[in-house]
Amino acid sequence: MRFDILTLFPEMFAGVFESSIIGRARERGYVEIALHNIRDYAAGKHRVTDDTPYSGGGGMIMKPDPIFNTIEHVLGVEVPVEGYATLVASKKIESPATVYPPIILLTPQGRVFNQAIARELATHERLMMICGRYEGVDERVRQYLVTDEISIGDYVLSGGEIPTMVLVDTLIRLIPGVLGDEAATTKDSHSNGLLEYPHYTRPPEYRGHAIPEILLSGHHAKLEIWRRQQSLARTLSRRPDLLTKAELSEADHAFIESLRMGE
Ligand code: ADE
């Protein structure tokens, strides 16, 4: 998978993209990440990338030209007046080698990111991401360039760089082979619509607190039931909203009902 990231602050990504799972995935060739400094594509001696809004109200707006220029340079295409989406739509009738990846703008106005959106985005070979800054980006970037807008939650950060790191980390974990243990992502919290059951490691007793006995019993079938029930109980108490969408068996429903009745 390849990520092309458009930013005014490429240096922000260094530590995160060089360490741990992302660093290893890059070294092993599972993922390629290219950082593009939007300022490099801005016109004039001062390479200005922002300007004041026409509507007044203060703050600075990212100019459209440097962002369009960066995309056109990186993809080697000219964005038609009708917009980039028309190129994406024409992809099917052109040669298979011509691929126009989604262009995602990270913004608090986007659809709110979750594991299902991560799985959907991970089906693409390549993604372009635009990190917004200042008060926002010129609306024509939204209208004629961007094909998707994503928020990482209902709060406002200083820019799209950290949200981009969140997306990249989440998507890389879904690439087969990256985590080594293939099963790991399918057991993660949220991957089945529920929160994960609790984990323990050695020692079996720590400061007088023993681990649940079932974990030492060696009874695999009972352990599976215990994990499922822990997962359901945790989701019910912390994120009951998730239960309405999760896939639940009759036994799951009965267990949840027993919890609700306070049994
Ligand atoms: N830029 C600023 N805040 C953001 C958020 N919550 N999600 C995505 N991009 C952002």
Side-chain angles (χ1 to χ4, degrees):
M1 190 167 189
R2 178 184 165 102
F3 298 94
D4 287 274
I5 298 167
L6 281 67
T7 172
L8 287 167
F9 300 96
E11 67 279 4
M12 283 181 72
F13 295 85
V16 171
F17 283 177
E18 281 157 22
S19 320
S20 184
I21 289 176
I22 302 182
R24 211 173 48 222
R26 293 176 77 187
E27 270 166 33
R28 295 186 179 170
Y30 286 109
V31 60
E32 215 181 312
I33 301 178
L35 295 163
H36 308 283
N37 192 336
I38 296 167
R39 194 172 302 284
D40 293 344
Y41 300 89
K45 200 172 94 188
H46 298 293
R47 300 199 176 276
V48 176
T49 58
D50 61 333
D51 206 341
T52 51
Y54 270 113
S55 56
M60 296 296 272
I61 306 297
M62 288 175 80
K63 291 160 73 67
D65 193 44
I67 300 176
F68 272 79
N69 286 348
T70 313
I71 291 283
E72 290 185 326
H73 176 88
V74 171
L75 290 181
V77 292
E78 204 173 309
V79 176
V81 180
E82 310 83 60
Y84 179 78
T86 60
L87 281 182
V88 179
S90 71
K91 177 173 77 176
K92 294 169 196 80
I93 53 169
E94 294 201 10
S95 84
T98 315
V99 173
Y100 300 109
I103 301 179
I104 301 169
L105 176 67
L106 283 303
T107 161
Q109 298 186 14
R111 54 187 180 136
V112 180
F113 192 51
N114 60 26
Q115 198 66 28
I117 296 177
R119 277 193 291 268
E120 170 200 323
L121 294 178
T123 62
H124 293 277
E125 278 286 293
R126 187 177 188 186
L127 294 174
M128 318 286 293
M129 292 157 144
I130 302 174
C131 305
R133 275 270 146 184
Y134 312 114
E135 295 303 302
V137 299
D138 186 286
E139 190 63 19
R140 288 161 293 190
V141 170
R142 278 211 167 83
Q143 289 176 310
Y144 301 108
L145 197 57
V146 162
T147 58
D148 198 357
E149 297 182 41
I150 290 191
S151 162
I152 61 162
D154 292 338
Y155 42 83
V156 180
L157 293 117
S158 314
E161 282 77 9
I162 292 171
T164 292
M165 293 179 214
V166 169
L167 256 68
V168 169
D169 187 298
T170 310
L171 299 191
I172 284 180
R173 295 173 59 79
L174 297 175
I175 300 173
V178 162
L179 291 185
D181 175 7
E182 287 296 316
T185 48
T186 59
K187 288 200 197 124
D188 278 346
S189 282
H190 295 293
S191 65
N192 63 359
L194 298 175
L195 301 184
E196 215 181 352
Y197 51 83
H199 297 286
Y200 296 88
T201 185
R202 273 165 283 276
E205 191 176 315
Y206 178 67
R207 299 194 180 194
H209 306 297
I211 63 171
E213 249 169 63
I214 180 95
L215 297 175
L216 298 171
S217 71
H219 199 301
H220 293 289
K222 277 191 186 160
L223 192 55
E224 271 309 306
I225 294 170
W226 178 84
R227 284 177 174 155
R228 183 75 185 173
Q229 293 186 340
Q230 289 289 314
S231 205
L232 291 166
R234 207 160 250 217
T235 309
L236 179 66
S237 73
R238 298 181 186 193
R239 292 292 307 276
D241 57 299
L242 295 178
L243 288 175
T244 54
K245 284 190 224 140
E247 225 175 273
L248 302 176
S249 67
E250 291 216 354
D252 291 338
H253 282 295
F255 179 69
I256 291 167
E257 202 42 44
S258 75
L259 289 176
R260 286 204 169 114
M261 305 293 282
E263 282 173 25

